[in-house]
Amino acid sequence: MKLLIVIISCFLTMAAQARQTIRGKVIDKLTKEPLELAYVHWSNAHQGITTNEQGFFSLTYPTTTDAAAAKLIISFVGYETQEINVEPNTEKLVIALQKGAVNLQEVVITPQSTANSFHTISKIDLNLMPARSAQDILRTVPGLFIGQHQGGGKAEQIFLRGFDIDHGTDINVSVDGLPVNMVSHAHGQGYADLHFLIPELTASVDYGKGPYYTQYGNLGTAGYVSMNTLNSLDKSTVKLEGGQFNTFRGLAMIDLLDERLKEKGTNAYVASELLYSDGPFDAPQHFNRFNLFGKFNTQLGRNNKLTLILSTLNSDWDASGQVPERAVKSGLIGRFGSIDDTEGGYTSRTNASVRLTSYLDDHSSWENQLYYSRYQFKLYSNFTFFLNDPVNGDQIRQAEARDIYGFHSKFTHALQAGDWHITSAYGAGFRLDKTHNSELSNTLNKNTVLEYKQLGNVSELNAFAWVEERFQKDRWLFNIGVRTDYFNFDYTDKLTTPSLPAQRKAIFSPRLNIQYTLNDKNQLYFKAGKGFHSNDARVVVFNRGYEILPAAYGADLGILVKPLPGLLVNVAAWYLYLQQEFVYVGDEGIVEPSGKTRRTGLDVSGRYQINKWLFADANFNIAKPRSMDTPKGESYIPLAPTFTSTGGLSWQLQQGFNGSIRYRYMKDRPANEDKSVIASGYTVTDISFNYTQKKYEVGIAVENLFNVKWNETQFDTESRLKDEPAPVSEIHFTPGVPFFARVKLAVFF
């Protein structure tokens, strides 16, 4: 009998031990911020779990005979792995990870992680890739291309997934939760100017392709890009750069607080950037950009974090604009010459943001953000030269002043229901744009207004609410989201009276993501969803609400594989249908509907760690964009990319030598609907070398290493030169930068 009691007691003890758990939180050692998707597992177990959005995890204590010898292993890409001894039923374990070398072997595919989890661009990439501005950082998104065609201060043209997105019509861009896109902008719908962000302050670049992401609404049809700035500085920095074409840049990033406050989770810094460049053009650009940025974050009690951001941008420039091929071929001008060298512009943006993040418990958080932006814009362009006005020329001015008010709230809660891990997220908010004196006018030499073609005030409200449920059990994960957006468009026309009535519309957008994790090396996923892009408020009001919010329907079928310890590959076949596309005709101030479109494609991305210090990556993006409302042979979408590729090598040696060599390739593509005019493709290579020590860094960066002649942007435009008897339609282009070298010296303290 005693023996039976002993045996039963042993079994009960083992059963109790089987139920013993370890609960903890993984944070960044410097910033004290929670690390989502850190991988936690026992040294004697192959499978583990990932931390949630608040950095928390709960892991069952091992039940094997060598449980006492097991150690808890915590790893996260870009951080040093930790191994610690932990007693059973440990509560509120806090593990602080320190930043370290990138090791792709630490990437583990788990049922809790999604393919999108691995899309965050690491800080090593951001440091090693030469960037003239934050706009260039968009190029780190696989398959995304940008092109500048009117001076360094204008928002670049964007290409992604078979789209010529113009300046942002079909991509949702944000920084620290602040919207970058400008709706109903004087120059183009969704105008996304990122120049207010200092490149070195970029902590991460998260992105997703397609309309599948519930948090991102208007303009997120081809995808979204969400950037976040550093919450703290590892060290203060002063950097000087100089290069060809009278290029100079100065940067200062100053940490304001001592280590004692930082240990308590309080950080504050300011940063400032000054850039000047004439560019390679015959008529100097005189491009000036000044940025000032400040960020403060602190713990309020044990469970609340307050983040304050203030920033301001001022920029002005001259531009040579787009030049017709015939003018270069005839010798009238050189490749870097101009027909109208009085083009150019001015822009400024001031931002203020307050964010409060509350960690209510181990499984719940509530985030609230309030923001305001003051924006001013003025742009002088001449696309057609003397086509419409043979005497004064066709120069136009587009201008506006804008106030943006916004708020959004997000509540997240996770729970366990049997074998199901359920995470719920709820969001709501609004954005109100008040644009004053939105103008399109004909001008002469920037100074004289010949005629106002448009002048008025725009008021556009977007209120939204969304809910997203995530269900995970064993190898399956289901993500179901629903979003609703309400718009109120109002336009007061100052040239005609009375103004037309405001227009209102709501749209409902469901999203569904399903994934199946075969093992820690293979994961299949399917995404489907509905998105939309709004039309310009002026067009909405003039058309009395017709085609306000055309929808986009998309689907992705993909696989994420890790065939080797240091190799990660993502392959996705995709489809996207749009009810209506928009083409902005800048000199006419109208948006032309171009009908229904269909795009299909294939994205392949790979990243390989060759050894401890050498990394390789490559991306291949194929797209077949077609218009559905035109006959076959005339259904090509002008300037839409059909094949692009980017990639390169990055290295980071222990001795302090680091750098990268990168290429980008865009294939020839149609410039008009019947493919009778071709926009020439190009391959451009950039390289950088740095020598980094504890107190300083020196380096050199070269854009267009092989000095190829390439056209950064191209358009099939009808124009007339001063002495031409009749207009001519042909390719007009902005030449890409030639060989361009810059050196830098940075001092750390």
Side-chain angles (χ1 to χ4, degrees):
M1 186 68 181
K2 290 182 179 180
L3 179 61
L4 180 61
I5 293 174
V6 170
I7 293 174
I8 293 174
S9 298
C10 289
F11 275 104
L12 290 174
T13 301
M14 292 174 63
Q17 183 174 342
R19 292 191 297 270
Q20 291 172 339
T21 57
I22 306 298
R23 292 180 175 86
K25 182 179 182 181
V26 182
I27 62 173
D28 182 290
K29 185 175 182 179
L30 183 64
T31 66
K32 312 304 178 186
E33 288 196 331
L35 294 178
E36 183 183 7
L37 297 176
Y39 188 59
V40 185
H41 67 102
W42 295 107
S43 58
N44 61 350
H46 187 63
Q47 288 293 335
I49 62 170
T50 56
T51 54
N52 64 12
E53 189 175 357
Q54 292 81 44
F56 288 106
F57 69 90
S58 178
L59 189 64
T60 303
Y61 198 77
T63 59
T64 58
T65 55
D66 59 343
K71 292 185 177 182
L72 194 66
I73 301 178
I74 308 96
S75 62
F76 192 59
V77 176
Y79 287 78
E80 296 179 359
T81 299
Q82 278 197 30
E83 294 186 13
I84 57 176
N85 293 311
V86 183
E87 295 296 325
N89 288 333
T90 299
E91 296 282 348
K92 297 184 178 179
L93 176 68
V94 178
I95 303 160
L97 295 186
Q98 185 170 338
K99 290 181 180 178
V102 172
N103 185 359
L104 288 186
Q105 294 189 21
E106 296 176 349
V107 173
V108 179
I109 298 174
T110 70
Q112 295 91 0
S113 61
T114 65
N116 208 49
S117 304
F118 303 105
H119 286 176
T120 299
I121 305 299
S122 70
K123 190 66 174 125
I124 185 174
D125 296 327
L126 300 175
N127 283 335
L128 298 182
M129 297 178 186
R132 293 168 293 181
S133 69
Q135 205 88 12
D136 281 357
I137 294 176
L138 289 173
R139 286 183 176 147
T140 60
V141 176
L144 191 152
F145 277 60
I146 64 171
Q148 178 59 260
H149 63 95
Q150 198 173 28
K154 182 183 177 184
E156 278 80 354
Q157 192 174 1
I158 302 173
F159 304 89
L160 179 68
R161 274 205 166 179
F163 278 87
D164 171 10
I165 297 177
D166 196 34
H167 298 285
T169 307
D170 286 283
I171 187 167
N172 185 298
V173 185
S174 62
V175 174
D176 289 324
L178 275 73
V180 176
N181 303 84
M182 298 289 179
V183 293
S184 304
H185 188 268
H187 182 68
Q189 174 68 333
Y191 187 87
D193 185 353
L194 265 170
H195 292 107
F196 66 87
L197 174 62
I198 299 173
E200 287 84 351
L201 296 182
T202 309
S204 65
V205 183
D206 183 31
Y207 67 92
K209 300 177 186 178
Y212 317 124
Y213 312 99
T214 313
Q215 293 189 55
Y216 303 96
N218 192 17
L219 311 177
T221 51
Y224 77 89
V225 179
S226 175
M227 301 183 181
N228 285 288
T229 58
L230 296 167
N231 278 329
S232 67
L233 300 180
D234 295 337
K235 47 189 170 290
S236 296
T237 303
V238 173
K239 180 189 293 186
L240 296 176
E241 297 181 13
Q244 295 172 269
F245 317 125
N246 292 329
T247 299
F248 170 81
R249 181 171 180 261
L251 169 71
M253 303 189 302
I254 309 299
D255 192 353
L256 299 178
L257 302 181
D258 58 30
E259 291 298 323
R260 180 179 57 85
L261 288 172
K262 295 173 74 172
E263 283 292 327
K264 295 180 179 180
T266 299
N267 295 277
Y269 67 87
V270 293
S272 183
E273 173 200 43
L274 177 63
L275 171 71
Y276 177 86
S277 181
D278 283 334
F281 302 94
D282 296 345
Q285 284 190 340
H286 305 300
F287 174 35
N288 288 277
R289 183 177 72 228
F290 174 75
N291 267 312
L292 183 63
F293 181 95
K295 191 170 188 179
F296 170 81
N297 51 80
T298 187
Q299 293 293 128
L300 298 179
R302 296 184 60 182
N303 300 317
N304 298 283
K305 181 177 181 179
L306 178 67
T307 302
L308 306 176
I309 294 175
L310 289 172
S311 69
T312 188
L313 157 76
N314 274 279
S315 179
D316 62 85
W317 66 95
D318 296 323
S320 298
Q322 300 139 213
V323 297
E325 285 187 334
R326 64 187 184 277
V328 177
K329 290 178 180 178
S330 68
L332 177 64
I333 59 173
R335 270 182 58 82
F336 295 94
S338 61
I339 301 299
D340 183 353
D341 62 2
T342 64
E343 297 186 41
Y346 166 81
T347 187
S348 69
R349 177 168 180 170
T350 299
N351 302 304
S353 168
V354 180
R355 177 187 294 177
L356 178 65
T357 304
S358 302
Y359 302 104
L360 307 179
D361 55 44
D362 290 5
H363 306 288
S364 303
S365 66
W366 189 19
E367 181 181 291
N368 293 277
Q369 182 177 12
L370 183 68
Y371 62 85
Y372 167 76
S373 294
R374 174 63 176 175
Y375 174 77
Q376 291 182 298
F377 171 84
K378 191 177 293 183
L379 182 69
Y380 296 90
S381 310
N382 192 342
F383 306 115
T384 53
F385 311 123
F386 294 92
L387 176 67
N388 301 314
D389 188 338
V391 178
N392 298 304
D394 299 343
Q395 186 181 89
I396 60 171
R397 180 172 72 191
Q398 293 162 312
E400 66 170 53
R402 178 186 300 245
D403 295 292
I404 306 174
Y405 309 88
F407 170 78
H408 57 79
S409 180
K410 175 185 175 183
F411 175 76
T412 305
H413 177 69
L415 60 88
Q416 188 81 19
D419 294 333
W420 288 94
H421 303 273
I422 303 173
T423 303
S424 303
Y426 310 93
F430 73 90
R431 171 181 172 175
L432 174 63
D433 288 64
K434 291 282 190 179
T435 303
H436 317 286
N437 293 324
S438 186
E439 172 195 339
L440 171 65
S441 59
N442 292 115
T443 56
L444 177 65
N445 297 327
K446 293 184 181 180
N447 300 315
T448 305
V449 176
L450 302 176
E451 178 188 6
Y452 285 102
K453 303 183 72 173
Q454 281 187 349
L455 184 65
N457 297 334
V458 177
S459 177
E460 183 170 333
L461 171 67
N462 175 200
F464 58 86
W466 57 269
V467 58
E468 188 173 82
E469 297 290 343
R470 173 172 160 161
F471 306 91
Q472 188 265 317
K473 178 183 178 183
D474 299 328
R475 299 182 178 184
W476 288 97
L477 187 147
F478 301 89
N479 191 305
I480 303 170
V482 174
R483 181 185 178 96
T484 182
D485 286 83
Y486 166 81
F487 285 84
N488 184 80
F489 302 91
D490 194 13
Y491 179 62
T492 303
D493 195 333
K494 293 189 173 183
L495 300 181
T496 61
T497 54
S499 295
L500 296 172
Q503 299 293 326
R504 300 170 183 85
K505 185 73 178 286
I507 189 168
F508 182 75
S509 306
R511 284 90 188 262
L512 171 66
N513 299 323
I514 303 173
Q515 76 176 34
Y516 180 75
T517 304
L518 286 76
N519 47 49
D520 60 357
K521 295 182 175 62
N522 298 276
Q523 187 179 86
L524 301 172
Y525 62 87
F526 171 75
K527 301 178 181 181
K530 174 186 175 184
F532 68 96
H533 57 193
S534 65
N535 205 338
D536 186 288
R538 290 160 292 191
V539 179
V540 169
V541 172
F542 289 151
N543 291 345
R544 298 184 182 273
Y546 179 69
E547 297 288 2
I548 291 181
L549 303 172
Y553 300 89
D556 270 40
L557 180 63
I559 183 170
L560 183 69
V561 298
K562 196 179 181 189
L564 299 172
L567 177 62
L568 191 67
V569 179
N570 189 10
V571 181
W574 57 270
Y575 169 89
L576 187 63
Y577 162 79
L578 267 72
Q579 286 183 338
Q580 185 67 264
E581 277 201 40
F582 303 133
V583 177
Y584 189 78
V585 184
D587 54 347
E588 298 296 334
I590 60 173
V591 175
E592 285 185 348
S594 58
K596 300 180 180 67
T597 60
R598 179 181 61 240
R599 290 170 171 83
T600 56
L602 183 70
D603 290 346
V604 181
S605 296
R607 181 161 182 172
Y608 180 50
Q609 184 169 357
I610 301 171
N611 53 39
K612 289 184 178 180
W613 54 270
L614 185 61
F615 301 82
D617 67 276
N619 309 287
F620 305 94
N621 308 96
I622 302 169
K624 184 180 180 181
R626 291 291 185 270
S627 173
M628 300 176 65
D629 293 337
T630 53
K632 188 177 181 179
E634 299 178 7
S635 61
Y636 296 96
I637 300 177
L639 302 178
T642 58
F643 179 68
T644 62
S645 179
T646 60
L649 293 172
S650 300
W651 54 88
Q652 193 166 42
L653 302 174
Q654 290 184 350
Q655 297 89 342
F657 294 99
N658 57 82
S660 70
I661 181 168
R662 305 198 56 78
Y663 76 90
R664 60 186 184 275
Y665 166 76
M666 181 177 285
K667 185 183 178 182
D668 292 354
R669 61 198 193 279
N672 61 353
E673 289 80 0
D674 62 5
K675 204 181 177 180
S676 60
V677 181
I678 298 296
S680 300
Y682 58 82
T683 302
V684 178
T685 305
D686 301 331
I687 193 169
S688 67
F689 291 99
N690 301 301
Y691 179 65
T692 307
Q693 293 297 299
K694 185 176 181 179
K695 295 293 186 181
Y696 68 92
E697 179 181 69
V698 293
I700 182 170
V702 178
E703 297 177 46
N704 194 357
L705 176 65
F706 301 111
N707 199 28
V708 298
K709 291 184 178 180
W710 63 292
N711 296 338
E712 188 162 8
T713 55
Q714 301 168 76
F715 303 89
D716 181 21
T717 305
E718 184 181 46
S719 67
R720 183 165 61 180
L721 303 181
K722 182 69 173 176
D723 298 322
E724 286 183 329
V728 177
S729 181
E730 65 171 359
I731 286 290
H732 293 53
F733 68 91
T734 298
V737 64
F739 181 95
F740 176 27
R742 307 191 313 274
V743 295
K744 68 176 178 181
L745 169 64
V747 178
F748 311 126
F749 57 95

